[in-house]
């Protein structure tokens, strides 16, 4: 006979306890042990896959513990300071428990606000009123660990107001009758989409498919007429559209058309929590008034530049017409000469007379030019050795006539007694000219000097060269001749000896001066333009590839200049190696190459000096070309968030150390040893004919008392200024107290802005302007 218990077994039930408060003790324990959990994110910044639900639950537990229930507005401006403290405390707790980047801070704050509102709703629905409908005055015992009595009293008072009751009733009525009910509980659209992609063979899921999957029941069937109507409409639209038209990017996709609901600004569907329209289709910032003013100023600058170029073209055309008229006039005069004179000139014994007449014809135009721009008699200029041009020094503009008349330099005419320059007799129609400023450094000299070593205008700065008189234009009055002495009773001017400076000989030097820019961006501040260009035309993460030639750094490579690096110099932040490398290229193109100093200066890339730990890479570059032995080698080096400049003289085995912080090279022993090893390797393997020195001789380090920086970010700008001044001085040694013309306690703001403007001008004109670089997207 079965027992009573057996017969009524169904009446004996197991007691099932109710679910307690979620506290996630395992997460807290792992956090106490210093263990952090990794969270995976999708491309829209939403947590997905493993640990994403735990992550959301931990945010809810943290919010419940740290934020009082009485806080009724998470984003109100009046509570900004108070809410800011709560947000920072929540973020600190999340960082201790999970591996999360700063870019996800906004999502954490939005999720925290949503969960705080959900907790308040749960408390109001389950614990705010008793069975009779009256308000409960005491806080729930179950949540006494996170709800204070004072906060509960405020919470109850907020819900007792008539305004709150009205809004609550409206929201409750709307929530009870959803048109398209969501059926996936806490799964969320982001995690649902990941699951669908993993299960699908196609690999692509559109928004209408996600929307449908989120609204089917557990059996996978749609049991709502409104949902079925939207699904049918989506399928109908899909069949009617082409592949390109089916792309559902933004609020104009198939799902929005099928729903036929009002489109709220910034709202997107089926992407899940934390995503808005700017995350799907990022909008460009609207131009501000300042942007329009910058663009207007740049257009005005372009207009002014075009006007200058137009005036120069008109002037050149006028000169060409005058030249043609002069040639026609001279031809007419030659045809009108008596026949007897022509016959006498053809006789052999009259060759000298013929040459004399040809010289007279050639001098007709120079005399006209001189008379048209002849200085007045002020300055006690005596009759000189070139016709009507008085003897003395005259500031002149210097031109070339081929292929068209063009201003190439400015200087002074030395009209003194004597017709020799550097031991060579002046040809007929030529005078002695001292070139002071090179406007077109690559322009050829009419007659090269120093056995052809000096053949360009940029190489002859500060020297006297022969120049045709007809290609000079007087611009000021006569000046006193240097070295002039006067005897009693008469004025006798004695010429002073000058010698041309050859850039290829170490015992002859010339100082480089900055020449006014011709064309390009002369007179225009390129830093603001570059700033606007980067913000409007280049995307974050894109980069520029600039080819660096072997003649500059001893090896050929592509320098990758990123947008973030350009912003360093625009925002005056600490500079990376890319900025210093591009500035080195600027110095080579604008100072070294045009002035014929290719065999005088060279660079070592900061990338090489940083990555080479033993000096082998530096030595390899030095040994690649024997001409390095005659060069001053500029090596900008990063010592770890600090830039210094080394200037190496291989012949003398001297390293000049220039530190904007006035530090000692001995403080960086590994760095010092690296360069000493490089020079010793070069010394042992060099096949050059320089005098061999003892292998025991130490490399000499000379610390230069250069200008000092006064903050923590200017070191890179100081190093760029050092490099420019060393090249401009054009010396084979650097004085211990630095160059006299550049000696100062620290560089002014204007001097640092100057090197920044040099860098920006080079990038705008020579990189962007000449399409030398390749801009790659991110």
């Amino acid at each position: 006979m079965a027992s009573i218990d057996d017969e009524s077994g169904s009446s004996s039930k197991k007691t099932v306890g109710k679910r307690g408060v979620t506290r996630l003790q395992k997460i807290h324990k792992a956090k106490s042990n210093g263990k952090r959990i990794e969270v995976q994110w999708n491309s829209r910044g939403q947590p997905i896959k493993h640990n994403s639900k735990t992550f959301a639950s931990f945010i809810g537990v943290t919010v419940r513990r740290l934020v009082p229930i009485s806080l009724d507005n998470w984003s109100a401006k009046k509570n900004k300071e108070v809410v800011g403290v709560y947000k920072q405390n929540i973020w600190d707790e999340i960082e201790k428990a999970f591996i999360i980047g700063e870019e996800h801070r906004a999502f954490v704050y939005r999720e925290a606000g949503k969960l705080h509102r959900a907790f308040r709703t749960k408390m109001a629905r389950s614990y705010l009123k008793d069975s009779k409908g009256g308000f409960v005055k005491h806080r729930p015992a179950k949540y006494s660990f996170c709800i204070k009595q004072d906060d509960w009293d405020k919470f109850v008072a907020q819900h007792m107001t008539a305004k709150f009751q009205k809004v609550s009733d409206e929201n409750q009525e709307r929530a009870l009758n959803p048109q398209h009910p969501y059926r996936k509980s806490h799964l969320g659209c982001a995690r649902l989409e990941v699951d669908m992609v993993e299960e699908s063979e196609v690999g692509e899921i559109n928004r209408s498919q996600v929307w449908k999957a989120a609204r089917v029941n557990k059996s996978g069937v749609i049991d709502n007429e409104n949902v079925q109507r939207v699904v049918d409409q989506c399928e109908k639209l899909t069949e009617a559209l082409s592949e390109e038209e089916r792309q559902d990017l933004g609020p104009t996709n198939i799902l929005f058309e099928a729903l036929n609901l009002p489109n709220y600004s910034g709202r997107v569907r089926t992407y899940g929590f934390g995503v808005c329209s700017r995350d799907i289709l990022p909008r460009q910032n609207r131009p501000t008034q300042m942007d329009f003013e910058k663009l207007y100023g740049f257009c005005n600058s372009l207009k002014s530049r075009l006007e200058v170029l137009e005036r120069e073209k008109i002037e050149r055309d006028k000169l060409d017409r005058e030249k043609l008229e002069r040639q026609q006039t001279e031809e007419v005069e030659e045809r009108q000469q008596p026949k007897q004179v022509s016959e006498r000139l053809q006789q052999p014994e009259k060759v000298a007379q013929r040459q004399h007449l040809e010289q007279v014809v050639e001098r007709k135009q120079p005399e006209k030019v001189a008379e048209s721009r002849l200085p007045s008699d002020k300055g006690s200029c005596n009759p000189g050795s070139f016709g009507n041009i008085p003897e003395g020094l005259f500031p002149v503009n210097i031109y070339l006539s081929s292929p068209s008349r063009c201003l190439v330099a400015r200087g002074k005419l030395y009209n003194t007694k004597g017709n020799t320059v550097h031991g060579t007799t002046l040809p007929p129609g030529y005078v002695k000219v001292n070139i002071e400023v090179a406007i077109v450094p690559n322009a050829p000299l009419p007659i090269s000097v120093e056995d052809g070593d000096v053949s360009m205008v940029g190489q002859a700065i500060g020297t006297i060269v022969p120049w045709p008189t007809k290609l000079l234009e007087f611009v000021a009055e006569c000046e006193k001749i240097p070295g002039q002495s006067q005897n009693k009773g008469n004025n006798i001017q004695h010429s002073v000896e000058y010698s041309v400076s050859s850039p290829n000989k170490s015992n002859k030097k010339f100082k480089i001066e900055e020449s006014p820019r011709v064309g390009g961006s002369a007179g225009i501040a390129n830093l603001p333009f570059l700033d606007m260009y980067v913000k409007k035309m280049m995307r974050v993460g894109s980069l520029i590839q600039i080819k660096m030639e072997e003649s500059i750094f001893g090896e050929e490579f592509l320098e990758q200049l990123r947008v973030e690096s350009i912003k360093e110099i625009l925002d005056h932040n600490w500079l990376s190696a890319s900025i210093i490398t591009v500035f080195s290229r600027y110095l080579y193109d604008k100072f070294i190459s045009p002035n014929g100093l290719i065999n005088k200066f060279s660079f070592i890339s900061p990338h090489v000096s940083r990555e080479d730990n033993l000096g082998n890479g530096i030595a390899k570059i030095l040994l690649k070309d024997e001409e390095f032995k005659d060069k001053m080698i500029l090596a900008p080096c990063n010592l770890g968030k600090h830039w210094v400049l080394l200037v190496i003289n291989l012949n003398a085995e001297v390293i000049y150390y220039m530190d904007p912080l006035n530090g000692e090279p001995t403080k960086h022993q590994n760095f010092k040893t690296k360069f000493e090893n490089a020079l010793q390797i070069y010394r042992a393997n060099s096949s050059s004919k320089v005098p061999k020195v003892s292998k025991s001789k130490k490399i000499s380090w000379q610390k230069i008392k250069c200008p000092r920086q006064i903050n923590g970010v200017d070191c890179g700008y100081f190093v760029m200024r050092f490099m420019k001044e060393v090249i401009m001085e054009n010396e084979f040694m650097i004085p211990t107290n630095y160059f006299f013309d550049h000696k100062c306690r620290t560089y002014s703001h204007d001097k640092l802005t100057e090197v920044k403007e040099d860098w920006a001008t080079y990038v705008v004109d020579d990189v962007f302007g000449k399409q030398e670089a390749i801009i790659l997207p991110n």
Side-chain angles (χ1 to χ4, degrees):
M1 181 177 177
S3 66
I4 298 175
D5 292 339
D6 291 335
E7 294 177 356
S8 58
S10 58
S11 62
S12 60
K13 299 180 181 180
K14 293 183 179 180
T15 303
V16 180
K18 294 183 179 181
R19 177 181 173 180
V21 179
T22 302
R23 303 201 182 198
L24 299 178
Q25 295 296 341
K26 292 183 179 180
I27 305 297
H28 287 285
K29 184 177 180 180
K31 182 181 70 172
S32 302
N33 295 330
K35 296 180 181 180
R36 301 168 67 195
I37 301 173
E38 185 177 2
V39 182
Q40 292 181 286
W41 303 81
N42 62 11
S43 60
R44 298 185 292 270
Q46 298 168 296
I48 57 174
K49 294 187 177 181
H50 188 60
N51 293 329
S52 59
K53 293 183 179 180
T54 304
F55 176 68
S57 298
F58 187 78
I59 295 176
V61 171
T62 306
V63 169
R64 192 172 58 198
R65 182 167 53 88
L66 298 180
V67 182
I69 195 175
S70 59
L71 183 65
D72 60 345
N73 197 328
W74 184 254
S75 58
K77 292 184 178 180
K78 64 179 182 179
N79 296 332
K80 185 175 181 179
E81 295 182 359
V82 177
V83 175
V85 175
Y86 295 144
K87 290 180 177 180
Q88 185 60 45
N89 293 338
I90 293 170
W91 176 256
D92 293 340
E93 289 293 317
I94 300 298
E95 271 195 319
K96 293 177 183 178
F98 293 88
I99 301 175
I100 182 172
E102 185 69 24
E103 65 274 13
H104 301 300
R105 181 189 286 262
F107 175 86
V108 171
Y109 288 164
R110 288 197 293 266
E111 183 74 10
K114 183 189 75 170
L115 295 175
H116 177 66
R117 290 189 296 272
F119 180 63
R120 282 171 52 89
T121 301
K122 179 181 178 180
M123 292 295 102
R125 184 175 63 248
S126 303
Y127 300 99
L128 184 63
K129 295 182 179 181
D130 54 21
S131 58
K132 298 181 181 180
F135 287 95
V136 178
K137 296 183 179 181
H138 298 284
R139 59 180 178 175
K142 184 177 180 179
Y143 294 94
S144 60
F145 70 96
C146 63
I147 300 178
K148 297 180 181 179
Q149 184 61 44
D150 293 342
D151 295 331
W152 179 261
D153 295 340
K154 295 178 182 178
F155 178 70
V156 173
Q158 293 168 0
H159 286 68
M160 293 177 66
T161 61
K163 180 180 179 181
F164 181 87
Q165 290 292 336
K166 180 180 178 181
V167 173
S168 178
D169 293 342
E170 292 175 356
N171 292 340
Q172 187 176 4
E173 182 179 357
R174 184 178 66 253
L176 289 175
N177 300 298
Q179 294 185 21
H180 311 102
Y182 178 79
R183 297 293 185 86
K184 293 300 178 181
S185 185
H186 294 290
L187 181 61
C189 290
R191 288 187 283 266
L192 175 61
E193 181 181 2
V194 173
D195 295 342
M196 293 177 66
V197 170
E198 291 178 351
E199 295 175 0
S200 174
E201 297 179 356
V202 179
E204 295 183 1
I205 303 296
N206 60 42
R207 309 321 305 168
S208 60
Q209 292 174 323
V210 177
W211 188 88
K212 174 183 176 182
R215 285 159 178 82
V216 298
N217 57 23
K218 294 182 180 181
S219 302
V221 178
I222 299 175
D223 54 6
N224 185 284
E225 295 181 358
N226 294 331
V227 174
Q228 186 63 54
R229 190 181 304 111
V230 173
V231 172
D232 294 341
Q233 183 67 15
C234 287
E235 293 176 354
K236 182 178 178 181
L237 292 172
T238 302
E239 294 176 357
L241 297 176
S242 62
E243 287 292 336
E244 295 181 356
E245 294 173 331
R246 293 176 189 176
Q247 294 180 355
D248 52 342
L249 299 176
T252 60
N253 58 13
I254 296 173
L255 179 61
F256 269 79
E257 294 185 13
L259 287 171
N260 194 24
L261 293 175
N263 181 22
Y264 301 103
S265 175
R267 181 175 183 177
V268 292
R269 295 180 182 274
T270 70
Y271 283 100
F273 178 76
V275 179
C276 58
S277 61
R278 66 172 176 267
D279 298 322
I280 310 303
L281 289 175
R283 295 184 303 172
Q284 292 185 350
N285 295 330
R286 293 182 179 179
T288 62
Q289 183 64 29
M290 183 176 295
D291 294 332
F292 284 116
E293 292 176 357
K294 289 181 180 180
L295 185 60
Y296 180 73
F298 180 67
C299 292
N300 285 339
S301 301
L302 288 178
K303 181 181 177 182
S304 301
R305 186 187 306 174
L306 291 175
E307 291 175 352
V308 171
L309 293 176
E310 186 176 358
R311 288 196 298 269
E312 291 180 356
K313 183 179 182 301
I314 294 173
E315 185 67 22
R316 286 196 300 269
D317 294 342
K318 181 180 178 182
L319 293 173
D320 291 340
R321 289 195 301 270
E322 293 177 354
K323 180 180 178 181
L324 180 60
E325 293 174 358
R326 288 196 301 269
Q327 291 176 352
Q328 294 174 350
T329 303
E330 290 173 359
E331 292 176 0
V332 172
E333 291 177 356
E334 289 179 358
R335 287 195 298 267
Q336 292 177 352
Q337 289 180 356
K339 184 176 181 181
Q340 295 82 4
V341 176
S342 177
E343 291 176 353
R344 288 199 304 270
L345 292 177
Q346 294 175 1
Q347 299 176 6
E349 63 272 11
K350 298 298 183 179
V351 172
Q353 295 182 11
R354 181 178 63 187
Q355 294 176 349
H356 176 69
L357 287 176
E358 290 175 352
Q359 293 176 11
V360 171
V361 173
E362 290 179 357
R363 290 180 181 178
K364 282 184 179 181
Q365 181 58 30
E367 290 174 3
K368 293 179 182 179
V369 176
E371 290 174 1
S372 65
R373 296 301 305 274
L374 188 64
S376 65
D377 293 336
K378 296 179 181 181
S380 66
C381 296
N382 300 322
S385 53
F386 294 99
N388 294 330
I389 304 177
E391 190 170 0
L393 271 64
F394 299 92
V396 290
N397 288 334
I398 305 170
Y399 291 84
L400 280 179
S401 59
S402 178
S404 61
R405 188 176 178 87
C406 176
L407 179 66
V408 296
R410 294 188 177 92
K412 291 181 180 178
L413 164 63
Y414 276 72
N415 189 17
T416 60
K417 291 185 181 296
N419 61 344
T420 60
V421 176
H422 315 295
T424 303
T425 303
L426 285 172
Y430 280 72
V431 292
K432 295 176 287 187
V433 173
N434 178 28
I435 297 178
E436 295 178 342
V437 176
I439 296 178
V440 185
N442 292 326
L445 296 176
I447 299 176
S448 59
V449 292
E450 197 71 14
D451 297 329
D453 286 343
V454 179
S455 59
M456 294 186 295
V457 171
Q459 296 174 320
I461 295 176
T463 66
I464 293 182
V465 295
W467 208 277
T469 312
K470 63 183 179 180
L471 296 178
L472 300 177
E473 179 184 21
F474 293 94
V475 295
E477 301 293 338
C478 173
E479 298 180 4
K480 182 179 178 181
I481 302 176
Q484 175 180 336
S485 62
Q486 296 181 354
N487 293 337
K488 294 180 179 181
N490 55 15
N491 295 331
I492 302 178
Q493 296 176 340
H494 300 278
S495 62
V496 184
E497 293 185 0
Y498 296 90
S499 62
V500 71
S501 299
S502 172
N504 299 324
K505 297 185 177 182
S506 60
N507 59 339
K508 295 181 180 180
K509 309 177 184 67
F510 60 97
K511 187 173 180 179
I512 301 175
E513 296 182 2
E514 289 191 87
S515 305
R517 299 188 183 99
V518 178
S521 58
I524 299 177
N526 280 290
L527 278 172
F529 172 74
L530 182 61
D531 186 19
M532 181 177 63
Y533 182 89
V534 170
K535 290 180 179 178
K536 302 299 180 185
M537 303 298 294
M538 300 182 70
R539 295 191 303 176
V540 175
S542 59
L543 57 89
I544 306 170
Q545 288 187 346
I546 306 175
K547 182 180 179 181
M548 297 297 169
E549 300 173 356
E550 184 176 354
S551 58
I552 307 176
F553 295 100
E555 61 179 359
E556 183 177 307
F557 62 94
L558 285 176
E559 181 63 40
Q560 295 187 346
L561 182 63
R562 298 187 176 275
V563 175
E564 293 76 12
S565 299
I566 299 177
K567 290 181 179 179
E568 293 170 359
I569 199 166
L570 294 174
D571 299 335
H572 199 86
N573 294 329
W574 190 87
L575 299 180
S576 60
S578 298
I579 301 295
I580 306 294
T581 303
V582 174
F583 190 77
S584 302
R585 172 68 186 271
Y586 156 76
L587 294 175
Y588 180 87
D589 288 352
K590 299 302 181 183
F591 290 88
I592 296 176
S593 180
N595 291 285
L597 300 177
I598 296 176
N599 296 326
K600 176 70 176 289
F601 292 101
S602 187
F603 298 89
I604 292 179
S605 168
H607 301 295
V608 174
S609 62
R610 180 68 173 172
E611 297 168 1
D612 185 10
N613 295 323
L614 301 177
N616 296 325
I618 299 172
K620 182 180 179 181
I621 293 176
L622 299 179
L623 290 168
K624 185 176 293 186
D625 190 348
E626 290 188 1
E627 293 183 356
F628 269 111
K629 66 182 179 61
D630 297 322
K631 293 183 178 182
M632 293 284 280
I633 303 170
L634 283 68
C637 300
N638 179 12
L639 302 181
K641 281 299 181 179
H642 180 60
W643 286 99
V644 299
L645 176 65
L646 302 187
V647 182
I648 305 172
N649 187 329
L650 285 179
N651 264 334
E653 294 196 337
V654 174
I655 300 177
Y656 298 97
Y657 181 77
M658 304 176 68
D659 186 350
L661 289 178
N662 196 32
E664 297 290 341
T666 53
K667 292 183 179 180
H668 310 279
Q669 194 59 45
N670 293 337
F671 163 78
K672 183 172 180 288
T673 303
K674 172 171 58 179
F675 276 88
E676 290 179 350
N677 290 342
L679 266 64
Q680 289 171 358
I681 295 173
Y682 173 81
R683 176 199 296 174
N685 295 276
S686 176
S687 59
S688 61
K689 297 181 179 180
V690 296
K692 294 294 182 179
V693 296
S694 172
K695 293 185 178 181
S696 61
K697 178 184 176 182
K698 293 184 178 180
I699 307 299
S700 175
W701 287 74
Q702 294 189 17
K703 177 185 172 184
I704 305 302
K705 297 179 181 178
C706 49
R708 298 176 60 180
Q709 67 184 92
I710 56 176
N711 57 29
V713 299
D714 281 349
C715 54
Y717 305 94
F718 272 63
V719 165
M720 292 195 296
R721 184 86 194 180
F722 293 160
M723 292 194 294
K724 181 178 179 181
E725 292 172 352
V726 168
I727 295 173
M728 290 178 64
E729 288 296 325
N730 191 19
E731 296 285 349
F732 269 110
M733 59 84 65
I734 303 177
T736 304
N737 292 325
Y738 203 46
F739 301 113
F740 179 79
D741 291 344
H742 306 289
K743 185 177 180 181
C744 58
R745 181 179 176 274
T746 185
Y747 287 134
S748 64
H749 173 75
D750 292 341
K751 287 187 176 181
L752 297 184
T753 303
E754 180 183 322
V755 294
K756 293 168 60 177
E757 185 64 34
D758 289 341
W759 191 94
T761 300
Y762 178 76
V763 171
V764 172
D765 288 353
D766 291 71
V767 178
F768 295 154
K770 296 182 180 180
Q771 296 183 350
E772 180 176 321
I774 303 173
I775 302 179
L776 301 176
N778 55 347

